[in-house]
Amino acid sequence: MIGKFRLYPKEDGFVSFIWLIFILIPIIAMFPYDNFDKQLALFTLGIFVVTYRKCLFNGKWFPIWMALMYGISLFYTLYFGYIYLFIYPAWMIGFIPMKKNVFKYYYMALLGTLTPVLFNLSNLPEYMAQDLKITMFVYGFFICAAPFAGRSIRKQAELRKQMYQSTQRMEYVIKQEERYRIARDLHDTLGQSLSIMTIKTELAGKLLDKDLELAKKEIAEVTETSRGTLQTVREIVSSMRHVLIAEEMITIEKSLRAAKIILSTEGEELTSEIATDIQNTLSYCLRESVTNVIRHSKASHCRIVIEKNATEYTFIIEDDGNGMKHSIQGNGLTGLRERIESICGKLEFTQKNGTKVQFTVPVDKKEETIND
């Protein structure tokens, strides 16, 4: 079965082909193609583009394609002075995943291929050698540095991918923990209550013919237990509707990433100590603050800091945007303030080199007692 043709690797996207726009420089410079040398150069350039695409897929023929790119780049440098073609294989060996030892071999091969260029410069006429030497030096320095830059960018991309996968796993863990919590609550409350109700119902059935009053008492206790169990079920369902800050942070990170805003956080681990109903309110406030950042700030970075002292929690949401004073002063800020005040908290809003939203809520006395 013939596989589906793909112009470029799916994980890299079309951006890997955008850099080929620089190939237009020699194509335009050599026009019109009125002699064999120019036609040969154009044909060789076409082979170079095909070779570049082959290298992007990093298949088993990668060393051969890379050697061909080296050769074509050297040919264009020696005969036409287009040294910048070396940038493509130089960047490729840094950006393609490979072991450190293998990278060294490709890099040494790159330096070796560049060596004839130095001897070629010594044969140039005096009147053109100086300017061309400066150009060659600038491009040569960039070519020698490009593999390390590509390798660094690839590592950063891998780290971002690992962070995304870690976030996905954390989301799964949080959901699993919530399922386990619900299962424990149901087992510890409903299981025990239903067992008691079963025993008392069986006892009442046996007492109906012997002691009617005692049977009525047992049935009344079953009714009371049933009502208590129903209330417990309602509380469990109510707690399931609450949004924990840890869950909200996952949604916030996804929203900011979609808006191309970099998120950094501090103190997320402190939120596990906060009561569930308080977390539900704080989650809304965090979500509303970040939504304002996405909609109005035009920021590139957003920072969320969570701190705790002896008496209160402090939440800080700040960005490096152009401010959103006119956008947030209306219902958005009013709604935030009302939510925070409903849990005895305070809200502060400042703008300097971006926007800073800060709200504080008191530490729960029960929590203090447990921690003590």
Side-chain angles (χ1 to χ4, degrees):
M1 184 177 180
I2 300 176
K4 182 180 179 181
F5 175 80
R6 189 175 293 277
L7 182 62
Y8 48 83
K10 184 178 181 181
E11 60 273 13
D12 293 340
F14 188 72
V15 68
S16 54
F17 263 65
I18 292 178
W19 302 109
L20 289 176
I21 193 172
F22 293 104
I23 299 294
L24 292 176
I25 297 175
I27 292 177
I28 295 173
M30 290 186 295
F31 187 83
Y33 308 103
D34 50 4
N35 58 57
F36 177 75
D37 289 344
K38 291 183 178 180
Q39 293 170 1
L40 176 62
L42 182 64
F43 177 74
T44 307
L45 203 59
I47 297 176
F48 183 86
V49 173
V50 173
T51 305
Y52 174 79
R53 174 191 168 272
K54 293 287 187 179
C55 286
L56 288 174
F57 289 90
N58 193 22
K60 64 179 181 179
W61 298 103
F62 179 81
I64 296 177
W65 297 124
M66 185 58 65
L68 189 57
M69 286 185 74
Y70 283 168
I72 295 174
S73 301
L74 180 61
F75 168 75
Y76 262 81
T77 303
L78 296 179
Y79 288 92
F80 300 100
Y82 295 133
I83 190 175
Y84 65 83
L85 279 185
F86 270 107
I87 293 175
Y88 290 96
W91 181 264
M92 187 74 68
I93 64 175
F95 199 74
I96 294 295
M98 63 179 65
K99 295 180 179 180
K100 192 174 182 179
N101 291 335
V102 178
F103 170 77
K104 288 181 180 179
Y105 291 136
Y106 280 110
Y107 188 72
M108 294 300 295
L110 175 66
L111 296 180
T113 311
L114 284 170
T115 302
V117 178
L118 301 176
F119 294 100
N120 187 62
L121 290 176
S122 62
N123 298 324
L124 291 172
E126 187 65 29
Y127 68 90
M128 63 179 297
Q130 189 63 31
D131 290 341
L132 191 56
K133 283 180 180 178
I134 294 174
T135 302
M136 291 288 192
F137 175 79
V138 173
Y139 276 111
F141 176 80
F142 183 78
I143 289 168
C144 293
F148 298 99
R151 197 168 178 84
S152 176
I153 292 175
R154 181 182 60 79
K155 287 181 178 179
Q156 292 178 7
E158 289 177 352
L159 286 174
R160 287 194 295 270
K161 183 179 180 180
Q162 290 174 5
M163 290 177 62
Y164 173 76
Q165 292 174 340
S166 178
T167 301
Q168 294 295 102
R169 287 192 291 267
M170 184 62 70
E171 183 176 3
Y172 173 78
V173 169
I174 290 174
K175 290 180 179 179
Q176 283 295 103
E177 288 182 350
E178 185 65 11
R179 291 190 184 100
Y180 292 150
R181 184 189 67 82
I182 295 170
R184 286 194 301 269
D185 289 345
L186 291 175
H187 179 270
D188 295 342
T189 56
L190 290 183
Q192 184 179 3
S193 299
L194 290 174
S195 297
I196 294 173
M197 291 168 61
T198 302
I199 293 172
K200 286 185 172 294
T201 303
E202 291 175 349
L203 178 60
K206 295 177 181 179
L207 292 173
L208 283 175
D209 297 330
K210 299 179 181 179
D211 191 338
L212 186 59
E213 291 300 322
L214 186 56
K216 290 181 179 179
K217 181 180 178 182
E218 293 295 336
I219 293 174
E221 290 180 1
V222 170
T223 303
E224 189 64 27
T225 303
S226 174
R227 288 172 180 168
T229 303
L230 180 59
Q231 181 61 31
T232 301
V233 171
R234 288 171 177 169
E235 290 175 358
I236 293 174
V237 172
S238 178
S239 66
M240 290 172 60
R241 294 173 181 172
H242 291 161
V243 179
L244 301 178
I245 295 176
E247 296 173 329
E248 189 61 46
M249 290 298 294
I250 293 173
T251 304
I252 286 173
E253 194 273 335
K254 288 182 179 178
S255 300
L256 288 172
R257 185 172 64 248
K260 294 181 171 55
I261 299 176
I262 299 173
L263 171 66
S264 60
T265 65
E266 296 179 22
E268 284 188 61
E269 66 280 358
L270 297 174
T271 60
S272 61
E273 304 172 0
I274 304 175
T276 304
D277 54 339
I278 302 297
Q279 285 200 49
N280 189 58
T281 301
L282 292 173
S283 295
Y284 169 85
C285 296
L286 285 170
R287 179 170 63 251
E288 185 66 22
S289 300
V290 171
T291 299
N292 285 322
V293 171
I294 295 173
R295 289 180 178 175
H296 308 297
S297 71
K298 297 181 180 179
S300 58
H301 292 78
C302 178
R303 183 167 172 260
I304 299 177
V305 180
I306 304 171
E307 300 173 343
K308 178 189 178 184
N309 57 31
T311 59
E312 62 186 13
Y313 288 97
T314 302
F315 291 78
I316 301 172
I317 303 94
E318 53 187 357
D319 61 74
D320 60 352
N322 56 10
M324 44 186 177
K325 187 173 183 180
H326 300 294
S327 303
I328 197 174
Q329 289 291 349
N331 293 331
L333 183 59
T334 303
L336 278 177
R337 193 181 303 279
E338 290 175 351
R339 293 265 185 168
I340 292 299
E341 290 178 352
S342 69
I343 53 175
C344 303
K346 298 178 182 179
L347 175 68
E348 295 181 11
F349 174 78
T350 57
Q351 292 198 113
K352 184 178 180 181
N353 300 323
T355 303
K356 179 179 178 181
V357 177
Q358 176 175 318
F359 44 87
T360 58
V361 292
V363 173
D364 191 350
K365 297 301 180 181
K366 295 180 181 179
E367 177 190 314
E368 285 183 315
T369 304
I370 294 172
N371 291 337
D372 290 342

